[in-house]
Amino acid sequence: MSILGTRVLRTEDPRLLTAGGTYVDDLRVPELAGAARVTFVRSPLAHARITGSDAAPLPLGGPWLEPLPAVVDLGEAMAGRTLLFPDAGSNAVSHLGVRHIDMPTTPARVWAAISQARESQ
Amino acid sequence: VKVTVTVNGGEVAAEVADRTLLVHFLRDEAGLTATNIGCDTSSCGACTVLLDGESVKSCTVLAAQADGCEVTTVEGLASDPGDMHPMQRAFRAEHALQCGFCTPGMIMAAISLLAENPSPTEEEVRSGLEGNLCRCTGYHNIVRAVLAAGEG
């Protein structure tokens, strides 16, 4: 019977249904041992001109941060920090004085938390 | 904090940070990566698992809250390797998945739904699964699969 015009069971489905797919975050291979993770905090502004950035003097390193090769500061992605564990988004901004970010975490809330922490310093 | 959870019938114990979420415990300590993290905010349902038989979004449950409990993930549904749970078979037969990202959570939510209501109407299936988002299928085939897996 031709597969054309006929409902055909997909061969990939049993694995997707019983063991799940293999997405990037599912990879458990030796090559990725100690691999860094990155969290992007996106700008709450859809379209804006960047007139200055104080990202450069951010202290790098620490128990949860690895040195950052470059801070992406163009377009939507405003600040990238490499992270060592998945829930490190708040850790990544803790050195800016941020101790708490309202849930659910949105770009606007992250930026608000950073601004608030700076004002109180 | 020391957490011991019975996951798919086997005991998993680990010393984890207090704030560790159940979904991270399942993925990183139990090594079960079928349960996906989609939104981290309880919106999408990709992380749905059964906690003592009831569906929960495991990104909103602390691992410590599951201490001493039983958790079932999609990996633990089939009784034999190579076999499938009736819900998994129905999903396949009705083409209720494409990329497969929402599928583990969708199946766990659907099983929980049928446990409460073995013969739901289409409307009840749609409202019962409204906490689970799918970007591929448009939901139609998922609803058909759950109806097929139900008692009718």
Side-chain angles (χ1 to χ4, degrees), chain A residues 19-21 23 25-28, chain B residues 26-27 31-36 75:
Chain A
Y23 307 99
D25 202 34
D26 298 335
L27 291 172
R28 300 287 188 275
Chain B
L26 293 172
R27 292 175 54 85
L32 298 170
T33 57
T35 303
N36 291 317
E75 290 103 326

Side-chain angles (χ1 to χ4, degrees), chain A residues 8 10 17 23 25-26 104, chain B residues 27 88 92 95 98-99 101:
Chain A
V8 178
R10 304 199 312 167
L17 286 162
Y23 307 99
D25 202 34
D26 298 335
Chain B
R27 292 175 54 85
Q88 292 168 317
R92 189 183 187 206
H95 293 262
Q98 282 184 34
C99 82
F101 193 85

Side-chain angles (χ1 to χ4, degrees), chain B residues 81-105:
Chain B
D83 195 14
M84 284 199 267
H85 182 279
M87 186 66 74
Q88 292 168 317
R89 282 202 293 273
F91 265 61
R92 189 183 187 206
E94 298 296 333
H95 293 262
L97 66 152
Q98 282 184 34
C99 82
F101 193 85
C102 76
T103 307

Side-chain angles (χ1 to χ4, degrees), chain B residues 49-102:
Chain B
V49 300
L50 300 186
L51 179 63
D52 283 342
E54 289 207 20
S55 61
V56 295
K57 292 181 175 178
S58 59
C59 77
T60 319
V61 177
L62 292 167
Q65 288 175 286
D67 186 41
C69 296
E70 287 192 18
V71 169
T72 308
T73 72
V74 81
E75 290 103 326
L77 288 177
S79 37
D80 295 307
D83 195 14
M84 284 199 267
H85 182 279
M87 186 66 74
Q88 292 168 317
R89 282 202 293 273
F91 265 61
R92 189 183 187 206
E94 298 296 333
H95 293 262
L97 66 152
Q98 282 184 34
C99 82
F101 193 85
C102 76

Side-chain angles (χ1 to χ4, degrees), chain B residues 24-43:
Chain B
H24 289 138
F25 183 89
L26 293 172
R27 292 175 54 85
D28 299 332
E29 304 299 338
L32 298 170
T33 57
T35 303
N36 291 317
I37 303 170
C39 68
D40 238 356
T41 55
S42 296
S43 306

Side-chain angles (χ1 to χ4, degrees), chain A residues 21-114:
Chain A
T22 306
Y23 307 99
V24 175
D25 202 34
D26 298 335
L27 291 172
R28 300 287 188 275
V29 294
E31 290 83 352
L32 284 176
R37 290 166 178 267
V38 62
T39 290
F40 290 98
V41 180
R42 299 172 77 201
S43 169
L45 304 173
H47 184 84
R49 186 182 304 279
I50 297 171
T51 57
S53 166
D54 59 357
L58 292 183
L60 300 175
W64 48 75
L65 295 178
E66 290 182 342
L68 187 67
V71 173
V72 181
D73 63 356
L74 295 174
E76 290 183 316
M78 292 293 286
R81 311 287 289 166
T82 53
L83 306 169
L84 289 183
F85 36 83
D87 60 345
S90 52
N91 287 344
V93 290
S94 66
H95 67 283
L96 301 174
V98 175
R99 293 289 172 269
H100 165 259
I101 302 172
D102 286 344
M103 289 291 286
T105 309
T106 62
R109 283 179 176 154
V110 174
W111 286 112
I114 292 173

